[in-house]
Amino acid sequence: MDKDYIPGSGEELDAAGAPEETAASEEIIEETAEKTVEDAADEVSESEDITADEDEIEDAEDAEEDGSPEEPERVRICPNCHKNAMARGHRYCRKCEKKIIKVKAPLGGYIAGFVSLITALCAFVLAFLLMPASLQVAQGDFFAARHNWYSAGMSYNGVSDVITQVTDSVGENSPLKQVIATGSNFDFKIYKTLVNMYGLFRANQAKSNIFKSPGSAEFTAKSNKLATYDAMFEKFSNTYQAVSDIMTEIDYSETRDKKLGEESVKKMEAARGKEGVDDIALDYFIANVIMACDMGDDLEREQLEKVKAKDEATEEDYSWLYYEDLIKFYMKTKDYDKALPLIEAELKKNTSNFTPAYCKAKIIASKGDTKALEDFIGEFCRNNTNLDGSQSDSNYSLLIYYLRVTGDYSHAKDMIEQAKSVYNLNSDFDRQLALVCLVEGDYDAAFEAIWAAEESANYRAQMYQDSSAYTEEFFATSYLAAYMCDKYGNKDSENASHLPEVLEYYKDGAPNDTVDKIIKGELTIEKVLTEGVYDVA
Amino acid sequence: MRLLYVIIKFICFPGTYLRGFWENLTCKVLHLEVESEGYMRPDEACGHVEHTLASTGWSAWLMAVGPGFMCFCTGSAFFLFGLFDIFYMGITFYDNAVLFILSIISMYLGGSLLCAAFPLTEDILNFWDVAYRGGLKGGNIPVKILKVIGIIISFPVALITRVGAFLEKNCITFLMTVAILVFHIIFVR
């Protein structure tokens, strides 16, 4: 073996040239040992260049084969700066790569992120606590948007209960109680609901009970939304102040005759044009005088239609003043064609308005179309069902009316009992029971029913200052039942002793023509209560 | 449109800044290189960070949806609190001035975060490519089944995010937020 042979050098010995090749191998190895890292890197890049060159040669050969011209080497530009060439084996140029390595999220970002998480958590808790009450308000808003003011009112009334449940769960002394509370804008929603349900006058009577939030005083003084209602109410109340003496005189007068009426109208006309006296409100009060003093249907019609015409000529809505009186007048004179548009307009403004709805039901019944009556009452009931799915008192009244019209008196009585068990202060149920008993000829039971109606109406008037039960239908039924019981009944029922008292109240005669004709024998109870409007008024 | 986009992003600067931060943090978690500094830039990437695209399905998904999820959750909390308090509970300045102002600020913060809830179209399209265009190549049957399940589960959110990215790019999310407020001002309050 040659002493210069290095085992493992990869060189194979042959007989002749081994020593030279071996020496060359030794030189390479020695040289390699002496190189630094940089030299090695240079060598690497040189080898890359060599590779590139080789690639270039390949490309050129391919191009030659293809016949296309030789292309220069593609230099890949750094995707970040779009200026420098990308370093081989790296994603960016060296400058950008150094910069990117240094990019960190700023401290402000961490602080903002942390603070936002903590505050968002607090906001989430508060939003969660506010959600039940907010959904209840949203439900009320939904009904209000559809002008279903009865259901809207019920929803809004339920908000305080929801808030109480939530605040009870967070604890009596929790600071969160201040957050979980309604404000003046919510109070305004309730006020607006009452205006649309009962009219501006009654809503204003309850105003101090409605606006209870801490900022209510300032809100009621400065709110533009409330200003519209306040302005109209001020016109109404200023006008009433101007004529209140005249109205009081009529109220307390024992003889409300035409003469008194004419004098009163004259005095009221003298107030026209004075400061604070609104023209339309004054005309309405004059209409009241004409009705109170029974100055004749023609004058009443003329005055009420005058109020309506003036209202339609203004941008404001005064219909709350006169619509009920005008509808009732048209119903009394059987001017159903004129009543119906007014009824439809009022039902559009308030889908739960019972008086126009009942009048419309009577108009449909008078045409003998029980299917249309069923459809109308069905739709009304669907729009005015309570939030828990039960029937409202208005629904019960209309359903009982429908059963009377179809002659199903036994179911009518059952429904009356059911309604009374839920709404024991609604006198219309007892009034309708009195009508059923009158048709059946049970005059003692009729009087008992109307006496119960009188008691609940009186209670509502005393306790809630609500005299809405005292309608023309009520008085007509009351007198008719008392008269029939007195004349044809046994007068042995529980409250029969009150008969003289009731009859004394009507000593001047029947409250309306229909009852007057029944008493005179020109009409029968059966005819009145089983045909036409199926009612005594 | 770019100018309008930048203006809206600056108007909604809290959400813009936080969005940029969440994206930056997500890149850090996913070891994606962030190529730009600063979030409030006057270009199409305002409120976003330029970064290398994720190459795996899960990373691409997290990059596309993660920061937006943070913005949506925090933004919803702020926005709903302000909305409930002012429009439904009816709190006015007269009732409780501090609460009223806090509610206004909360709604602004929430609205700005919600306007920044969607990613750049590049991010969601990257996820789309990685997850859906790649198909079911590679892996055995269980892996393929998992892929299918992942595709089905992720598709609704991915679709919403893709649509949302388009809307945000064209400033429509801002208009939608404003429309919600206007609706409440007119019909609720």
Side-chain angles (χ1 to χ4, degrees), chain A residues 241-268:
Chain A
Q241 287 299 317
V243 300
S244 61
D245 294 339
I246 305 166
M247 300 295 291
T248 310
E249 189 191 338
I250 292 173
D251 281 340
Y252 285 101
S253 170
E254 287 187 4
T255 51
R256 290 184 204 169
D257 56 11
K258 209 168 173 181
K259 189 182 168 194
L260 176 65
E262 281 168 3
E263 280 172 11
S264 303
V265 169
K266 225 177 185 176
K267 287 181 199 171
M268 281 186 173

Side-chain angles (χ1 to χ4, degrees), chain B residues 84-102:
Chain B
F84 286 161
D85 213 35
I86 289 180
F87 292 107
Y88 292 99
M89 303 305 278
I91 296 292
T92 63
F93 183 81
Y94 308 119
D95 299 312
N96 190 332
V98 171
L99 186 60
F100 181 75
I101 291 168
L102 273 175

